[in-house]
Amino acid sequence: MDSMEELVSQIQRLSSNMNSEEEISRFHSILKQAEESLLRPQASQLAPFLEQLNPSTHSLGYLYILEAYTGAALSKEQATVLVPVVATFLESCTAEQIRLVPDKFVSVCKKFKDEVVSLRTPMRGIAPIRTAIRKLQSSPEQLTTLHPDFLLLCLLAKCYKSGLSLLQEDIFEIDQPKDLFLYCYYGGMICIGQKSFRKAMELLKAVVTAPMSSTNAIAVEAHKKYILVSLIYNGQFSTGLPKYMSAMGQRNLKNYCQDNNLGLVKQVVSSLSKRNIQRLTQTYLTLSLEDMANRVQLNTSKEAELHVLQMIQDGEIFATINQKDGMVSFHEDPEQYKTCEMIEHIDSSIQRIMALSKKLSAVDENVSCDPTYLAKAGRERHRYDFDDYDSVPQRFNM
């Protein structure tokens, strides 16, 4: 093949005839040969040829050309024009074709992410990368290498709700450990931004306790935020670490340095005042704003009022404020758990827990039958002291 014009013509003709393994293999062979002889040498001059192809019907050939073009040293003007081109491709391409060369698809997506970040327009990358994740996934339970990139864009654009929608999906299939570390770390920061501190603790704890064989800066940073979020959510922090945490992970967490967690520290201070107000609800039915400010160690009654109003809005306490005499009346939780909405919520939660339980049982069964696991368990059997475990109650003995 001597020219790009001839390659474009081949792509247009062969894309409509990919009906068998033999035809797909032949198409692949042509594209790989063209990659070395045409695409790489002319990488920065490929933009006009992309305009001659349809990203939907010519997805595979389009991807080869686009991947070569994004890998070239582009000017700022070219990079600016490239962003909408890649966004259109990610939205239009055929999942079946791009999965034939997932590495090239991921390369294009990551270059696209880098460009929107460098242009300081992370918002433009959120929807295309979300679509790319769906097309790359072999199942909704798979964690792809694009998940962390999507969450990072949500963080930079402060689109926390978009990130939360992805975090609500259960993940059971993981290819690269680094993807899991970044997914949970960025996910934890998104939950912090949304004040979903319980979910943030779960994700950050997953980073801290995940198996690791070498020093992991992500786990160290996650542990710092985990401590601060624990203080915000629980009002205390337990220094004990889970027994299943790796030895390397425990050593990592002893190495601390100054960081940029000032925002979280300020939230910790604010949460202490809120927690003290919550304690007052257990003692008093009514209390003046002035007395509350003194007991909680706030500067003015106005500051106490703002705290109470925010807590009422967030559903942390149930109270009313009498503006005339400056009194706060505390109430019981009005939720009676009788409404149709609440019953549906409880039912959906039960169904989800049951599905997770079945999934966990299946994973446990697969691991228990894995030859590698059995071999390792057999080698380490002598380490365990079975006297440390409680004996089975007599009524359960068989």
Side-chain angles (χ1 to χ4, degrees):
M1 197 171 299
D2 300 325
S3 67
M4 280 299 303
E5 289 77 7
E6 187 178 350
L7 174 62
V8 169
S9 177
Q10 286 273 45
I11 291 173
Q12 292 171 337
R13 182 173 60 84
L14 295 175
S15 293
S16 59
N17 296 320
M18 295 175 60
N19 300 319
S20 67
E21 291 291 336
E22 183 180 351
E23 291 170 342
I24 293 174
S25 177
R26 179 167 174 261
F27 193 18
H28 259 300
S29 178
I30 292 173
L31 291 172
K32 288 178 180 177
Q33 291 175 10
E35 185 175 22
E36 298 300 326
S37 61
L38 292 173
L39 299 182
R40 298 302 178 193
Q42 305 179 46
S44 61
Q45 304 168 12
L46 296 176
F49 300 102
L50 290 171
E51 297 175 3
Q52 301 176 34
L53 297 173
N54 186 316
S56 178
T57 56
H58 309 132
S59 297
L60 186 58
Y62 196 104
L63 177 56
Y64 265 84
I65 297 176
L66 185 60
E67 193 265 341
Y69 183 55
T70 57
L74 303 178
S75 65
K76 186 175 181 180
E77 291 74 20
Q78 286 177 311
T80 302
V81 174
L82 175 65
V83 168
V85 172
V86 178
T88 301
F89 170 72
L90 297 182
E91 294 287 350
S92 307
C93 65
T94 305
E96 290 75 13
Q97 292 193 30
I98 62 98
R99 287 178 190 167
L100 296 172
V101 280
D103 291 344
K104 292 187 179 298
F105 184 69
V106 168
S107 175
V108 169
C109 291
K110 288 188 175 291
K111 182 66 176 178
F112 171 72
K113 183 264 296 183
D114 293 339
E115 290 299 340
V116 295
V117 171
S118 65
L119 293 173
R120 298 183 180 180
T121 56
M123 179 81 74
R124 297 173 68 183
I126 292 177
I129 293 296
R130 179 65 186 267
T131 302
I133 289 174
R134 291 287 170 265
K135 294 182 177 181
L136 187 62
Q137 282 180 311
S138 58
S139 76
E141 299 175 346
Q142 180 189 13
L143 178 69
T144 72
T145 190
L146 298 181
H147 276 74
D149 294 325
F150 174 78
L151 295 178
L152 176 60
L153 291 175
C154 292
L155 275 174
L156 295 176
K158 292 183 170 56
C159 292
Y160 303 132
K161 289 185 178 180
S162 297
L164 277 178
S165 66
L166 189 72
L167 293 170
Q168 290 172 354
E169 300 172 0
D170 297 316
I171 297 295
F172 290 99
E173 302 172 18
I174 301 169
D175 294 328
Q176 298 297 327
K178 184 180 178 181
D179 296 335
L180 175 65
F181 284 114
L182 289 174
Y183 169 80
C184 292
Y185 179 68
Y186 290 148
M189 293 177 67
I190 284 175
C191 291
I192 291 170
Q194 278 293 96
K195 310 295 183 185
S196 300
F197 294 118
R198 181 176 179 179
K199 180 67 174 178
M201 286 178 60
E202 293 176 4
L203 290 167
L204 294 172
K205 187 176 181 180
V207 180
V208 174
T209 59
M212 60 188 80
S213 58
S214 60
T215 301
N216 191 322
I218 303 172
V220 174
E221 291 301 317
H223 193 252
K224 296 172 186 178
K225 288 179 171 57
Y226 177 71
I227 292 173
L228 294 172
V229 173
S230 297
L231 291 172
I232 294 172
Y233 185 71
N234 294 323
Q236 59 184 358
F237 173 73
S238 173
T239 56
L241 297 170
K243 293 182 179 180
Y244 55 80
M245 185 176 180
S246 67
M248 178 58 70
Q250 296 187 41
R251 286 197 295 270
N252 283 345
L253 302 183
K254 295 177 181 178
N255 302 321
Y256 280 85
C257 58
Q258 292 186 349
D259 52 30
N260 297 313
N261 285 315
L262 180 60
L264 266 180
V265 172
K266 290 181 178 179
Q267 290 189 62
V268 169
V269 175
S270 176
S271 72
L272 294 177
S273 298
K274 290 183 176 181
R275 195 163 295 278
N276 287 332
I277 291 175
Q278 285 179 326
R279 291 195 182 99
L280 293 177
T281 66
Q282 300 172 10
T283 306
Y284 299 94
L285 292 176
T286 58
L287 190 67
S288 70
L289 288 169
E290 186 175 349
D291 284 343
M292 181 180 292
N294 292 331
R295 293 175 183 277
V296 182
Q297 299 181 351
L298 296 173
N299 295 326
T300 63
S301 59
K302 185 64 177 177
E303 188 175 351
E305 181 181 358
L306 292 175
H307 271 82
V308 172
L309 288 173
Q310 185 63 52
M311 293 177 73
I312 293 173
Q313 181 178 343
D314 295 340
E316 296 175 346
I317 62 172
F318 303 95
T320 54
I321 299 176
N322 187 324
Q323 297 282 357
K324 184 176 181 180
D325 54 16
M327 298 294 293
V328 180
S329 300
F330 300 115
H331 311 299
E332 296 292 332
D333 184 353
E335 178 60 63
Q336 299 296 314
Y337 300 94
K338 296 179 180 178
T339 62
C340 294
E341 292 81 3
M342 180 56 66
I343 293 173
E344 289 178 1
H345 174 71
I346 293 173
D347 182 65
S348 64
S349 298
I350 293 173
Q351 295 297 326
R352 181 172 180 271
I353 290 171
M354 291 173 64
L356 286 174
S357 178
K358 290 180 180 179
K359 187 69 177 180
L360 184 60
S361 297
V363 171
D364 180 63
E365 184 176 346
N366 289 336
V367 171
S368 64
C369 298
D370 184 81
T372 305
Y373 166 77
L374 293 173
K376 184 175 178 61
R379 289 194 302 269
E380 298 186 356
R381 186 180 181 85
H382 66 278
R383 294 186 183 182
Y384 299 103
D385 183 359
F386 291 100
D387 291 338
D388 292 340
Y389 296 89
D390 294 334
S391 59
V392 178
Q394 187 65 35
R395 65 177 180 276
F396 294 130
N397 286 337
M398 296 186 181

